[in-house]
Amino acid sequence: MFSKEEAAKLRKEFWTSFGKSFPRKWLLYNTKIKGFTFKFVADKKKAMVCLDIEHPDEIANELLYDQMISLRVLLETEIPDVIFNEAYELESGKVIRRIYVNFDEKFNIHNKDTWRNCYEFYMDVMPKFELFFYEYEDFINQAI
């Protein structure tokens, strides 16, 4: 068991190590579409690469998600393990629309032995998400 400070230090070390081991500028929040962001997730139980749709306007949320649903077959061709969830509940209790890929191996951000494989997963999946976005950005943008 880790103290709050030790856990925070390990999380910081995880992300710093990832950035140093795999230096790259990621798309993440720079999609230029409000509420449409790519994220890396890592915690004590799981790791994943996500596309989160959290537009402040619920209708825009729905339109963006529907636009992604219309591209589902194409995305699944590029990323077969992708999961679409229109009601993903975050730890905070907030419900968002999330399109994501789970890291299927055993992972715990507090266990450094699991980090390397997670980093390689991130490096495999996120570029596919980004490339897909760049390919269909104009179409996705038409939703709102």
Side-chain angles (χ1 to χ4, degrees), residues 5-142:
E5 294 79 22
E6 290 169 324
K9 184 180 175 196
L10 267 175
R11 280 192 306 277
K12 183 177 180 182
E13 186 179 342
F14 174 83
W15 293 113
T16 302
S17 175
F18 176 56
K20 287 180 180 175
S21 300
F22 300 95
R24 185 180 184 282
K25 179 139 176 68
W26 299 100
L27 178 62
L28 303 177
Y29 294 89
N30 298 321
T31 63
K32 298 181 179 74
I33 301 174
K34 189 173 188 173
F36 193 92
T37 58
F38 292 93
K39 294 179 183 169
F40 294 108
V41 173
D43 62 29
K44 293 186 288 187
K45 298 176 186 162
K46 67 187 174 304
M48 61 176 84
V49 173
C50 309
L51 165 57
D52 288 353
I53 301 172
E54 315 179 65
H55 197 285
D57 177 8
E58 187 54 37
I59 292 171
N61 258 337
E62 199 169 317
L63 292 170
L64 284 167
Y65 188 75
D66 287 349
Q67 200 77 325
M68 289 304 298
I69 290 288
S70 73
L71 296 169
R72 185 178 194 147
V73 172
L74 296 169
L75 183 56
E76 287 173 339
T77 301
E78 300 301 318
I79 311 171
D81 298 333
V82 70
I83 299 165
F84 283 70
N85 188 331
E86 67 178 303
Y88 188 94
E89 188 172 349
L90 301 174
E91 284 184 24
S92 66
K94 181 178 181 183
V95 177
I96 64 168
R97 288 168 173 83
R98 177 171 272 183
I99 300 166
Y100 63 100
V101 180
N102 278 320
F103 178 53
D104 289 333
E105 295 180 35
K106 198 170 189 110
F107 176 79
N108 183 329
I109 198 165
H110 296 160
N111 180 350
K112 290 183 182 184
D113 294 337
T114 64
W115 289 7
R116 182 71 186 185
N117 289 344
C118 180
Y119 294 161
E120 289 173 5
F121 162 76
Y122 286 164
M123 291 302 296
D124 178 48
V125 177
M126 185 59 87
K128 291 176 185 174
F129 258 128
E130 290 178 329
L131 193 59
F132 185 85
F133 174 77
Y134 288 129
E135 182 82 21
Y136 297 100
E137 179 178 7
D138 291 340
F139 179 74
I140 295 165
N141 241 326
Q142 289 174 4

